[in-house]
């Protein structure tokens, strides 16, 4: 009869030893691994780096442009010049003028400098706009980090909950095995029936299956956590099951400062500032543009020999020249068909839309914070009730155990007390982590998720 339970006992022993050898993955270590290795966070950091490059003076338009040019030309030619019917002074025919392997070279180089002295302040406001865009990118990266942290702790606390449930089910299995052993001894001495043994065996089997299912869920959830922290999927560890809640006074302080810390509100403020600069950039089209230019050039011309009068070959020449230029220009688009006016009007409308969006986001954030606070209080109350419920069911189970050992209640009544305790313990675990996740969501809305010790 007892051989039936060798497999569950071996499975239980295997996982118990495995858990004892696993390292601890603390909350702080999980956060550090996520910030360093998570793909989504690293992509967000790269976008911030791009925005930082864009806001540098190298992308501002304030620096001049300097262009260098250089060129070289080579030419070689053979020529024969005839003078048909032409006579020299002595009456003889004019001879042909022949030039062979006549070579000519041309070399030139130059520098051109252009600088926009004034462009209607468009460059100035665009530079400020790029700085605001950089701050917006930082806020977007922060939002990505906050969402990833919330995802991290959702999975982390799920691992913790399943770990505690595993321990509860292991205890339940141990109780059922002990009960089965007692039933077999009692049957051997004629103190109970075969039915008591069968009931105990059914409960051992059910508890073994429940334990195996939870252990499978735990392994899967650990893989989910490994994906978030970006480490080997088969990495094994145990997590910290201790939960600490933020004090009520500190939460109230966070809520009072939520409008100045909430990432969604801060993003709308940055977008509003960007739209304000868009208006000013477009208005710069009404003003003139003043530019300065300078140039420096060097030329060398080596001409080829050429035929001259009376068949004489005139030798080539070398000509070197250096030039220096400086200029200023003023461009004023007095009328561009109304394009600038349309752009200014549209940017003003976009600014008004952003103002309304900011008010809407502030209203929604206030609503979400109040809802999150109510949810948190409710879940915290449920957790406190479940803690008391565990104590009640623990006392009930201990009394039932005594009565069962004295033969005053049946195995079915004892099993019911055991199930009630098991349900109370798992419900308490669920309520504890639900309350903590509700607190984390509240901290995210108040903009403090990355600033508190979790």
């Amino acid at each position: 009869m007892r051989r039936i339970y060798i497999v569950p006992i071996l499975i239980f022993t295997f996982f118990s030893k495995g858990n004892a050898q696993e390292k601890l993955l603390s909350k702080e270590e999980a956060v550090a691994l996520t910030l360093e290795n998570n793909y989504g966070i690293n992509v967000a950091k790269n976008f911030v780096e791009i925005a930082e490059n864009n806001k540098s003076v190298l992308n501002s338009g304030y620096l001049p442009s300097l262009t260098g040019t250089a060129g070289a030309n080579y030419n070689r030619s053979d020529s024969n010049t005839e003078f048909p019917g032409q006579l020299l002074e002595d009456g003889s025919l004019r001879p042909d003028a022949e030039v062979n392997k006549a070579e000519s070279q041309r070399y030139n180089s130059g520098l051109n400098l252009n600088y926009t002295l004034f462009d209607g302040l468009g460059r100035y406001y665009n530079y400020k706009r790029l700085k605001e865009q950089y701050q917006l990118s930082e806020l977007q990266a922060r939002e990505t980090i906050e969402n990833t942290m919330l995802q991290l702790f959702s999975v982390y606390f799920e691992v913790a909950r399943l770990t505690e449930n595993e321990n509860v089910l292991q205890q339940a299995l141990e109780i059922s095995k002990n009960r089965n052993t007692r039933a077999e001894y009692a049957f051997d001495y004629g103190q109970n029936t075969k039915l008591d043994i069968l009931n105990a065996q059914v409960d051992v089997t059910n508890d073994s299956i429940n334990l195996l299912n939870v252990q499978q869920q735990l392994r899967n959830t650990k893989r989910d956590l490994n994906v978030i922290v970006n480490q080997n999927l088969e990495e094994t560890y145990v997590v910290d099951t201790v939960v600490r809640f933020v004090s009520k006074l500190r939460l109230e302080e966070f809520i009072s400062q939520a409008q100045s810390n909430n990432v969604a509100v801060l993003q709308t403020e940055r977008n509003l500032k960007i739209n304000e600069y868009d208006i000013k950039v477009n208005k710069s089209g009404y003003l003139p543009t003043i530019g300065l230019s300078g140039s420096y050039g060097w030329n060398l011309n080596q001409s080829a020999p050429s035929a001259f009068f009376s068949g004489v070959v005139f030798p080539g020449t070398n000509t070197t020249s250096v030039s220096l230029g400086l200029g200023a220009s003023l461009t004023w688009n007095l009328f561009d068909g109304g394009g600038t006016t349309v752009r200014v009007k549209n940017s003003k409308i976009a600014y008004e839309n952003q103002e309304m969006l900011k008010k809407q986001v502030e209203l929604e954030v206030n609503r979400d914070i109040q809802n999150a606070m109510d949810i948190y209080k409710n879940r915290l109350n449920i957790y406190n009730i479940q803690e008391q419920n565990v104590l009640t069911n623990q006392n009930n189970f201990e009394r039932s155990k005594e009565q069962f050992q004295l033969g005053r209640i049946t195995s079915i009544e004892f099993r019911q007390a055991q199930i009630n305790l098991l349900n109370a313990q798992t419900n308490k675990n669920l309520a504890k982590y639900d309350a903590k996740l509700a607190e984390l969501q509240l901290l995210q809305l108040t903009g403090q998720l990355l600033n508190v010790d979790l």
Side-chain angles (χ1 to χ4, degrees):
M1 297 295 294
R2 294 172 188 166
R3 294 179 182 176
I4 300 175
Y5 312 107
I6 293 178
V7 174
I9 293 172
L10 289 177
I11 293 175
F12 169 76
T13 304
F14 171 78
F15 284 109
S16 298
K17 291 182 179 179
N19 289 338
Q21 296 173 353
E22 292 175 346
K23 65 178 182 180
L24 172 66
L25 178 66
S26 65
K27 302 182 186 72
E28 293 77 13
E29 184 180 359
V31 170
L33 288 172
T34 303
L35 292 175
E36 181 180 359
N37 301 326
N38 183 267
Y39 289 119
I41 291 178
N42 286 329
V43 169
K45 289 179 180 178
N46 287 338
F47 281 126
V48 173
E49 188 174 351
I50 291 173
E52 184 176 12
N53 293 335
N54 288 336
K55 78 175 182 67
S56 69
V57 69
L58 298 177
N59 192 46
S60 65
Y62 275 107
L63 300 180
S65 64
L66 182 63
T67 305
T69 60
N73 291 292
Y74 172 82
N75 186 45
R76 174 178 172 176
S77 63
D78 297 328
S79 64
N80 183 37
T81 305
E82 297 179 354
F83 305 95
Q86 297 185 23
L87 302 176
L88 299 176
E89 292 180 357
D90 60 0
S92 62
L93 293 174
R94 175 177 291 181
D96 295 343
E98 185 176 354
V99 179
N100 294 322
K101 299 181 180 179
E103 297 180 345
S104 64
Q105 296 94 22
R106 290 182 180 180
Y107 303 97
N108 64 83
S109 62
L111 292 174
N112 295 299
L113 178 70
N114 291 285
Y115 180 69
T116 301
L117 189 63
F118 178 76
D119 66 344
L121 297 177
R123 173 179 53 183
Y124 172 75
Y125 290 119
N126 187 62
Y127 185 45
K128 286 185 169 292
R129 184 187 185 280
L130 291 174
K131 289 185 175 181
E132 292 293 335
Q133 188 67 49
Y134 168 71
Q135 294 182 9
L136 178 61
S137 297
E138 284 189 318
L139 291 172
Q140 291 170 341
R142 173 186 152 186
E143 183 180 26
T144 299
I145 293 174
E146 286 183 355
N147 291 334
T148 305
M149 287 297 106
L150 198 60
Q151 180 187 15
L152 166 68
F153 282 108
S154 296
V155 179
Y156 186 94
F157 287 137
E158 180 64 10
V159 173
R161 185 185 73 85
L162 291 172
T163 299
E164 291 194 299
N165 284 355
E166 180 188 23
N167 294 333
V168 170
L169 289 171
Q170 285 174 343
Q171 294 173 7
L173 178 59
E174 189 65 29
I175 292 171
S176 296
K177 289 191 296 182
N178 290 336
R179 185 179 128 221
N180 177 70
T181 302
R182 291 177 59 87
E184 290 182 345
Y185 282 133
F187 178 76
D188 291 340
Y189 289 99
Q191 295 178 356
N192 61 12
T193 64
K194 190 73 171 180
L195 181 60
D196 292 327
I197 297 179
L198 295 175
N199 286 335
Q201 291 175 355
V202 169
D203 293 338
V204 169
T205 301
N206 290 335
D207 290 343
S208 300
I209 292 173
N210 292 336
L211 177 60
L212 289 174
N213 287 335
V214 167
Q215 288 172 337
Q216 178 63 59
Q217 294 174 19
L218 181 57
R219 290 194 296 273
N220 290 346
T221 309
K222 284 184 178 180
R223 293 189 188 100
D224 293 338
L225 187 57
N226 285 333
V227 169
I228 297 175
V229 301
N230 191 16
Q231 63 181 2
N232 191 304
L233 293 180
E234 299 306 321
E235 187 75 24
T236 59
Y237 47 83
V238 294
V239 298
D240 184 7
T241 59
V242 177
V243 170
R244 294 179 294 272
F245 294 97
V246 178
S247 66
K248 182 179 179 181
L249 290 177
R250 200 174 182 197
L251 280 178
E252 291 176 351
E253 179 185 356
F254 291 158
I255 293 174
S256 65
Q257 301 171 356
Q259 289 297 331
S260 59
N261 293 317
N262 179 272
V263 68
V265 174
L266 293 177
Q267 286 185 50
T268 59
E269 292 176 352
R270 296 276 74 79
N271 281 320
L272 191 63
K273 199 67 177 178
I274 289 173
N275 286 339
E276 180 182 346
Y277 287 133
D278 283 339
I279 297 174
K280 295 178 179 180
V281 169
N282 289 323
K283 282 184 175 180
S284 68
Y286 291 127
L287 300 176
T289 300
I290 300 175
L292 298 176
S293 62
S295 64
Y296 171 83
W298 174 84
N299 292 275
L300 172 63
N301 185 11
Q302 297 178 341
S303 62
S306 59
F308 194 60
F309 184 73
S310 300
V312 178
V313 177
F314 191 83
T317 61
N318 294 339
T319 304
T320 302
S321 63
V322 176
S323 62
L324 182 65
L326 182 65
S329 64
L330 185 147
T331 304
W332 199 336
N333 195 350
L334 298 177
F335 182 70
D336 63 352
T340 299
T341 301
V342 171
R343 287 190 292 271
V344 171
K345 288 182 177 179
N346 289 341
S347 58
K348 287 182 177 179
I349 295 173
Y351 181 82
E352 293 175 0
N353 287 341
Q354 190 62 40
E355 280 186 319
M356 290 185 286
L357 179 60
K358 181 177 181 293
K359 293 178 181 178
Q360 179 183 355
V361 169
E362 289 175 346
L363 183 62
E364 291 176 348
V365 167
N366 283 331
R367 177 206 61 194
D368 293 342
I369 289 176
Q370 292 184 25
N371 289 344
M373 188 62 182
D374 284 343
I375 293 173
Y376 171 64
K377 289 179 179 178
N378 183 62
R379 290 184 178 178
L380 197 58
N381 289 333
I382 292 175
Y383 171 55
N384 293 331
I385 293 173
Q386 291 291 358
E387 279 190 314
Q388 185 60 45
N389 189 38
V390 168
L391 295 177
T392 302
N393 279 278
Q394 183 69 47
N395 292 332
N396 179 63
F397 174 74
E398 294 298 333
R399 290 179 178 271
S400 298
K401 184 178 179 181
E402 294 175 0
Q403 296 296 316
F404 176 69
Q405 291 174 349
L406 294 174
R408 295 177 180 176
I409 63 173
T410 65
S411 61
I412 296 177
E413 292 173 318
F414 174 75
R415 177 62 176 178
Q416 186 60 50
Q418 182 187 10
I419 292 176
N420 290 341
L421 176 60
L422 176 64
N423 291 337
Q425 290 172 326
T426 56
N427 288 338
K428 185 205 73 172
N429 294 338
L430 178 62
K432 178 172 70 171
Y433 295 111
D434 277 351
K436 186 59 181 179
L437 289 176
E439 180 190 81
L440 295 181
Q441 291 169 350
L442 179 60
L443 290 173
Q444 182 187 25
L445 289 170
T446 59
Q448 301 293 339
L449 180 61
L450 305 179
N451 301 327
V452 296
D453 183 13
L454 301 175

